[in-house]
Structures are given as structure tokens and as C-alpha cells.
Amino acid sequence: MGQKVELACIIDDDKIYVNLVKKIIEIKKLSENLLIYKNGKEALDYFKEIMQNVTDEDKLPDIIFLDLNMPVMDGWEFLNEFIKIKNNLNKKITLYVVSSSIDPRDLERAKSFNLVTDYLIKPIELKKFEKIFDRTAA
């Protein structure tokens, strides 16, 4: 196994799913730390705040799991805003869209964003999770 993922981020309003993922990450020691946001706006505000200070780049996640359906700011709105600021980030961030939607249009739309690494359908299998973290560390 390569180096560990230092910081992972979950942007999702589903408490049960978030707690499950959190447990998996803790038990399997997949990431050192975890950021959790209930909607895209919370996460975006955090990223923008970090960008104000170049020395805080290590507080940006290595990997983001983004839900599509959330209140306040959904996953699509987050992606549209994140694209605008992503070029100002010096860190490579791997982003996965995670949704319970199996609508092919959502899949196509998500893949049209070049910053989206993959589209994962909930619930995510443990093996797939481990593979994602392993690949990120490589």
C-alpha cells in the first residue's frame, strides 16, 4: 500500500450514509482525517477560506466524495462553483460523485465535468472504497 490519504472529505446530507463511511474510514484506517459537510455551500466556503492563506493548502482534502441531492447547494451547483476555484489550488484533489441516482443522464452529466474521477452509486461496496483510497495514495 502506498502513502496514506491525509485528508478525505464527504459532502452529503445523509447522516446514516455519512456515519457508515466515517466508520469504514476509521476501521480500515483509510485516511488520517475527515472533513464532513452537509451541503456544497459549507464545503465551498471552507475551500475559499483555505485559499486565502497559501500555507493552509495542507488543510485541503486529497479526496472528495460529493453527493448530488442536498439542500442549500446541491452537488451540481458545487461542481460549477468548484471548477471556478480549482485552478487556484496547488493541490491535486480527486473528486468522486456519490449518488443513489442510477439515472444515466446524471451519470453522463457528472462525467462531463473533467474534475470528476468517477460516479459511484450508493451504497458503495467496501472493496471499492478500499481500492479508491489505495489508488489515491499511489
Side-chain angles (χ1 to χ4, degrees), residues 76 101-112 118-119:
W76 300 121
S101 168
I102 53 171
D103 187 332
R105 288 172 302 200
D106 284 343
L107 180 65
E108 283 310 305
R109 187 173 169 196
K111 296 233 169 158
S112 74
D118 204 355
Y119 184 99

Side-chain angles (χ1 to χ4, degrees), residues 12-75:
D12 200 315
D13 63 324
D14 179 341
K15 286 192 181 88
I16 296 166
Y17 164 78
V18 169
N19 284 331
L20 180 72
V21 172
K22 199 172 141 187
K23 277 275 173 279
I24 291 170
I25 289 172
E26 284 169 6
I27 292 166
K28 294 287 183 178
K29 296 179 175 51
L30 299 175
S31 176
E32 293 287 324
N33 298 292
L34 190 59
L35 297 171
I36 298 170
Y37 298 102
K38 291 188 294 290
N39 62 62
K41 186 180 182 322
E42 281 185 6
L44 211 57
D45 289 348
Y46 172 80
F47 293 143
K48 285 179 177 171
E49 193 181 308
I50 294 296
M51 287 168 61
Q52 305 297 316
N53 191 344
V54 185
T55 57
D56 284 346
E57 290 258 313
D58 60 338
K59 292 181 183 160
L60 289 169
D62 301 291
I63 188 167
I64 296 174
F65 294 99
L66 174 69
D67 185 28
L68 292 178
N69 301 312
M70 296 174 285
V72 187
M73 178 188 270
D74 69 17

Side-chain angles (χ1 to χ4, degrees), residues 73-89:
M73 178 188 270
D74 69 17
W76 300 121
E77 294 167 305
F78 174 83
L79 284 169
N80 285 324
E81 291 302 310
F82 191 63
I83 280 172
K84 296 174 192 169
I85 64 167
K86 191 180 181 322
N87 293 341
N88 301 324
L89 305 175

